[in-house]
Structure formats: structure tokens, C-alpha cells
Amino acid sequence: MAIRALIVDDSSVMRKIVERSLRQAGIDLSEVFQAGNGAEALGVLKESKVDLILCDINMPVMDGLEFIKQLPGVENAKGVPVVMITTEGSEAHVVQALSAGARGYIRKPFTPEQVKEHVIPVLAGKS
Amino acid sequence: MKSVSELLAADGSHENWIPLLDTAAKEVFELMLGCQLTASATTEETNMDVTAMVGLAGQLCGVLSVRCDQKAATLMTSKMLGVALDKVGPEVADALGEVCNMVAGNFKNKIAGLAEGCMLSPPTVITGSDYNLHSMADSPAIEIRMLFESMPIAISLQIHS
């Protein structure tokens, strides 16, 4: 089944890498939305429904942790799994992200195989 | 894994961090660009006219920079995006900034206590080579020089303890 993904990262290069990694992982993407920070991503979600959100942590304007804390109040984000993709590798960041509602956590640098390992179970509702 | 205080105390020149920086850089290039960095025999200064910098603040303060020439930066971008060299556009600065960001993040994640005790700034990228960098670092920079697809790159860490 094809899915709609929202990729949130302040680097356009990284957004493209994440999209390519999802496709390499065999995930069928019908539509890919992009945002450069959490505030932009909330704007996207006002207009569009998605099935998966991949989100960086360190971003200007609104960081990834603040963004996912706001998601419960967003109609189009209800039940949508979020996977963090970030250079922040501490256990404290992982705990913070998972406590705020993230369902997966991928540390940069990463391989397409790692994206597959983390995203497929999340999409299958197993994580 | 040694803690930041152990490593700081062990050697004021921070030479003991070179292997960690080396590994951090090699992992980024291997995982994100699909290529191996190799040792560079020369310390000769070449025309490295693209510089990406990321600031570190917290338990460790300083600046990590990645320098290379435009050709190397364009090839890195091509490999990161999976596009032909002639399709690379204005993303070069963004790509090199991300490489620098990932090397800095990967480096700090290798030192116990630093992953959560040190924050990274967004990357800054300078093009051109006619500049002097004045950092507030109070110890000599540690620098590694390697070859990326036979082209030299320099990665340095200036530390303000």
C-alpha cells in the first residue's frame, strides 16, 4: 500500500536522502511532503493528511521535540507514527523523544537498512 | 568509552581525540556517501575553498570544521543525493554543512557524557579561501587530513575548554 510521508529537516539534502532511503527500503510512497522545521510541518499538517512523519530534532524556529509535543492537538496527525532521525545520540534525547510520542529513533549517520529496520515495524504497528 | 573529563584530563593537547575524530569521519563517509576515506600522506596546504563549521557548546566548547575544494564538495553532494555530478546544483553548501554536522554529532556521541552535555549549532559554510578564522579556542586545534576519492579533506576541532 502506498503511503504519504512528511519529512521534516532543516537540510534539503537530508530530506532528499531520507526520501531516497525510504524508497530503497521498499516503502511505496504515493506522496512526500517536506518541511524545514516544526512550524512549517504543522502548516503542512493543517492542509494534508499523512501516514508517516520522519523528523529531525535540531532545527530552527521549532525543533523536533517541540513539534511532536504539539501533534496530539493536530487532527491530521492523530495516530500518525513519528520516527526521529537526528545526530543527537544520547539516551536522554531518545527518552525525551519517545516520551513525547515518537515511535522510533534513528541516529545520523544511517544506512537505508537502518531506516528499513526502524520504519517498517512502525508502519506495521509493531513498535 | 571514556568520559569527557577523563579525556580532557588525560592530555591537554587533546591528541587522544584524533582516533575518535578519525572514526567519526570515516563512519559518516561510509554510511552516508558509500565511500571510504583513506589516509593522506601529505600535510601540504592545497586550495581548500569550501569550509563547513559547526559550533559546540556545553561540556565541550569549540568549533569543528570540514574543509575541501569545490570539486570534492560537489562530488560529496553528488554521492549524498545519488545524482550525477552535472546534476548537482546549489545544494553543495547544504550537503557539506550536513557532513560537518554529522561528523560533529558522531564524534560527541563517542565520548561518554558528551552526547547529552554538548549542543551543536546549525552548520555555517564559507566558500573562498582568503579568510582567517579567529576562534576563542585556548588549545591547539587537532586536525586530521584524509583523502576522499583521492582529493584532500581536512577536519579540525578547535577546543575552548
Side-chain angles (χ1 to χ4, degrees):
Chain A
M1 186 188 78
I3 65 159
R4 293 155 299 185
L6 168 60
I7 301 171
V8 192
D9 197 303
D10 55 337
S11 162
S12 68
V13 167
M14 190 52 66
R15 295 196 298 267
K16 287 174 188 166
I17 291 171
V18 172
E19 177 178 346
R20 197 183 61 195
S21 297
L22 289 171
R23 294 187 192 280
Q24 286 174 336
I27 296 166
D28 188 5
L29 299 171
S30 60
E31 205 164 1
V32 177
F33 301 93
Q34 299 195 12
N37 59 63
E40 276 184 22
L42 290 173
V44 169
L45 291 169
K46 270 188 189 169
E47 307 293 330
S48 309
K49 285 191 173 184
V50 300
D51 305 297
L52 172 70
I53 299 171
L54 295 118
C55 185
D56 189 14
I57 289 184
N58 290 331
M59 294 180 289
V61 186
M62 182 189 289
D63 68 29
L65 292 174
E66 181 58 34
F67 166 64
I68 57 174
K69 283 177 192 166
Q70 298 210 14
L71 288 180
V74 178
E75 187 59 34
N76 280 343
K78 288 209 164 74
V80 176
V82 181
V83 175
M84 309 308 288
I85 302 190
T86 175
T87 53
E88 293 295 353
S90 74
E91 280 308 304
H93 278 103
V94 176
V95 169
Q96 264 186 293
L98 297 179
S99 303
R103 302 261 290 277
Y105 199 99
I106 301 169
R107 291 180 177 91
K108 298 175 188 172
F110 58 85
T111 60
E113 290 73 28
Q114 287 171 317
V115 173
K116 186 176 182 176
E117 274 171 30
H118 286 81
V119 172
I120 298 286
V122 163
L123 284 173
K126 290 175 186 167
S127 178
Chain B
M1 186 185 277
K2 289 185 176 177
S3 71
V4 64
S5 53
E6 283 173 321
L7 286 165
L8 277 169
D11 182 356
S13 68
H14 310 297
E15 289 290 317
N16 51 341
W17 285 5
I18 289 177
L20 299 177
L21 190 57
D22 185 88
T23 304
K26 283 178 176 168
E27 285 175 353
V28 169
F29 278 77
E30 197 171 327
L31 296 178
M32 302 302 292
L33 287 83
C35 59
Q36 308 276 340
L37 289 178
T38 55
S40 171
T42 178
T43 55
E44 197 175 296
E45 192 63 39
T46 53
N47 184 32
M48 294 185 177
D49 53 1
V50 188
T51 304
M53 295 185 295
V54 167
L56 299 96
Q59 284 185 27
L60 182 70
C61 296
V63 179
L64 188 140
S65 66
V66 176
R67 288 183 296 136
C68 62
D69 67 14
Q70 188 69 41
K71 194 177 162 193
T74 304
L75 183 58
M76 282 180 210
T77 310
S78 154
K79 286 182 174 290
M80 286 174 82
L81 292 173
V83 300
L85 267 178
D86 60 358
K87 301 287 182 203
V88 171
E91 309 96 336
V92 173
D94 185 356
L96 196 66
E98 270 305 298
V99 167
C100 187
N101 183 44
M102 286 187 284
V103 172
N106 203 21
F107 170 74
K108 79 181 180 103
N109 289 338
K110 293 184 183 307
I111 300 172
L114 206 56
E116 62 272 20
C118 176
M119 294 184 300
L120 302 181
S121 74
T124 297
V125 177
I126 299 168
T127 53
S129 55
D130 187 15
Y131 67 90
N132 291 311
L133 175 64
H134 301 279
S135 98
M136 301 304 285
D138 56 3
S139 54
I142 57 172
E143 183 166 277
I144 54 173
R145 285 178 179 252
M146 289 186 277
L147 294 175
F148 160 68
E149 303 288 314
S150 305
M151 292 178 279
I153 66 166
I155 300 173
S156 70
L157 177 64
Q158 296 188 307
I159 299 159
H160 187 277
S161 52

